[in-house]
Amino acid sequence: MKKVLLASACLFALAAPASAADLAARPYTKAPVAMASVYNWTGFYLGIVGGGAWENSSTDPKMKGGFVGGTAGYNWQTGNVVLGVEADGSWADVSASVTGPVAVPGFGLVSTTLSSKTDAMGTVRGRIGYAVNNVLFYGTGGYAWIDNKLSVSALGVTVSDSKWHSGWTVGAGVEAFFAPQWSVKGEYLFRSLGGETYFSGALPSGTLEFHTVQVGVNYHFGGPVVAKY
């Protein structure tokens, strides 16, 4: 019996290496390469925009305040160069007022308040920029407009007149994707608006100039992200 057991043990010991040799070698699997995202800025977009404005004037009081509104545009990318057109319009509360004595016939010197308020503003601009993947650096310029109202208050009576001012704007900004179809931007614009005459020619405004700083969030249609290995 001992001889039988010893012979069986030897046979098993010899057979085990042979069986292992018959097994197929474990295949080598290369780790997958991480997927990289390449951003393409071409396409339409809509967004919201808001910021602050202050009048470019050497005298006080200067008009200042804030605005909020919407924007729409289209980009076209070739290589790293991005060309585009953008329009925006905002509700605004950019104002200033001054009070002082004014000679009124029959009343003498009367305390009078003159107020100027821009309650809407917007632009239509071209953009040209350089894209570094998901970040776009750009310059911009084009047409600008505001809707402005002058009010005069004296002796308990207020009269107002509103005018549409047209002009030009120029500026620069940076925009970056933070999600596949969402971007955020920061922008500075200088706006110069031509003068208008209020109250049937009685009060000319002269040229109005504003500095504006604004931020916005845009949604890009069409999936601007191209993923590749």
Side-chain angles (χ1 to χ4, degrees):
M1 179 61 69
K2 290 182 178 179
K3 292 181 178 180
V4 172
L5 292 176
L6 180 61
S8 299
C10 292
L11 180 63
F12 179 78
L14 293 174
S19 299
D22 291 338
L23 293 176
R26 182 179 179 183
Y28 171 73
T29 303
K30 184 178 180 181
V33 178
M35 188 167 57
S37 296
V38 177
Y39 287 79
N40 186 337
W41 289 82
T42 298
F44 291 97
Y45 60 90
L46 294 173
I48 58 174
V49 65
W54 63 98
E55 188 179 3
N56 181 46
S57 174
S58 59
T59 60
D60 288 321
K62 297 179 178 68
M63 297 174 65
K64 59 184 178 180
F67 58 90
V68 62
T71 185
Y74 182 84
N75 290 319
W76 179 69
Q77 182 172 352
T78 174
N80 292 96
V81 177
V82 177
L83 304 174
V85 60
E86 181 174 288
D88 62 73
S90 298
W91 294 275
D93 185 3
V94 182
S95 61
S97 62
V98 60
T99 299
V102 175
V104 178
F107 293 93
L109 293 178
V110 175
S111 179
T112 303
T113 299
L114 175 64
S115 301
S116 180
K117 179 183 178 183
T118 295
D119 52 20
M121 61 198 318
T123 67
V124 179
R125 295 173 281 118
R127 301 201 310 173
I128 180 169
Y130 186 85
V132 183
N133 201 14
N134 67 318
V135 180
L136 175 66
F137 302 92
Y138 63 90
T140 182
Y143 170 75
W145 60 267
I146 64 170
D147 186 14
N148 195 67
K149 180 172 68 175
L150 287 186
S151 301
V152 179
S153 300
L155 299 172
V157 177
T158 299
V159 293
S160 301
D161 190 14
S162 295
K163 295 293 182 181
W164 180 283
H165 295 251
S166 294
W168 55 269
T169 182
V170 65
V174 59
E175 185 172 359
F177 279 102
F178 63 89
Q181 290 177 281
W182 291 93
S183 68
V184 61
K185 71 175 182 179
E187 192 172 65
Y188 164 80
L189 294 177
F190 177 80
R191 312 178 192 223
S192 179
L193 295 310
E196 295 290 338
T197 302
Y198 291 76
F199 302 109
S200 301
L203 188 58
S205 71
T207 301
L208 297 176
E209 296 179 341
F210 292 96
H211 301 282
T212 61
V213 175
Q214 57 196 46
V215 295
V217 177
N218 293 326
Y219 178 82
H220 298 256
F221 295 89
V225 180
V226 178
K228 71 175 185 179
Y229 291 96

